[in-house]
Amino acid sequence: MSTAQVLLIFEDMLFSFLAAFGFGSLSNPPFKALLCAGFLGAFGHGLRYFLINMCSVHIVPASFLAALCVGFSAFFVAKKMHTLVEVFTFPAVLPMIPGIPAYNTMISLVKFLNASQETGHQYLEQVFYNGFLALFILSALVLGILFPYLLVCKKCWAISRHAYDKK
């Protein structure tokens, strides 16, 4: 891996840190939790970027693996900080939401509605491709976050009770 590739990964991680930090600030958590959510967002998005660009993994399984790592890491961080897991997981996953495929779906749909019969099928094919891609990426993100909750259910409830008792 060259230094240019490493710089691209760190650039991606910087921007996803800022996005996760910004999304996390909406729920007004403590500043330390906000920093951890930003770092988890940078870690998850950087991992997904690495898997897609360096390991040639498709975006759907790369998103699933990144969300799975973020989910398990969030349980570890939540236990250390005595904070709810959701404070970390949702802001960290939000930068990975598939905005470009969703945008391309809408653009292709508008083009399909305005197209002639000869070119309409091409746009309809793009609508389905981009729409299903966005749907599968979102599903992979949800499942990646959900699996740690299902596997560590007792720990999840114990962390939540401890955070509630601190108030």
Side-chain angles (χ1 to χ4, degrees):
M1 194 163 46
S2 69
T3 56
Q5 292 171 331
V6 172
L7 287 176
L8 285 174
I9 291 173
F10 280 121
E11 179 185 0
D12 183 71
M13 290 175 73
L14 172 70
F15 288 123
S16 57
F17 173 85
L18 294 174
F21 189 87
F23 283 125
S25 67
L26 295 175
S27 60
N28 199 17
F31 187 72
K32 287 183 181 180
L34 195 57
L35 283 176
C36 288
F39 283 120
L40 280 175
F43 166 68
H45 207 279
L47 177 63
R48 184 176 86 159
Y49 185 86
F50 174 78
L51 289 172
I52 291 170
N53 294 318
M54 308 306 165
C55 300
S56 300
V57 177
H58 192 265
I59 190 169
V60 176
S63 297
F64 174 74
L65 290 173
L68 192 69
C69 290
V70 165
F72 280 118
S73 300
F75 272 102
F76 175 73
V77 172
K79 184 178 180 185
K80 291 287 185 191
M81 297 189 72
H82 303 293
T83 310
L84 295 173
V85 178
E86 293 84 5
V87 172
F88 305 109
T89 55
F90 296 125
V93 171
L94 281 174
M96 290 190 275
I97 288 185
I100 293 174
Y103 175 77
N104 288 337
T105 302
M106 292 298 125
I107 293 298
S108 299
L109 184 62
V110 169
K111 287 180 180 178
F112 169 72
L113 293 174
N114 294 325
S116 64
Q117 262 188 328
E118 294 82 30
T119 60
H121 70 293
Q122 295 170 348
Y123 295 122
L124 187 61
E125 184 179 311
Q126 290 175 1
V127 167
F128 281 109
Y129 176 77
N130 290 317
F132 280 118
L133 182 63
L135 178 71
F136 286 139
I137 294 171
L138 282 174
S139 300
L141 292 174
V142 168
L143 290 175
I145 291 295
L146 182 66
F147 281 163
Y149 279 96
L150 295 176
L151 294 174
V152 194
C153 188
K154 287 183 184 178
K155 187 180 269 190
C156 177
W157 293 110
I159 292 170
S160 299
R161 266 198 313 275
H162 187 68
Y164 183 73
D165 292 340
K166 289 280 187 178
K167 289 183 181 181

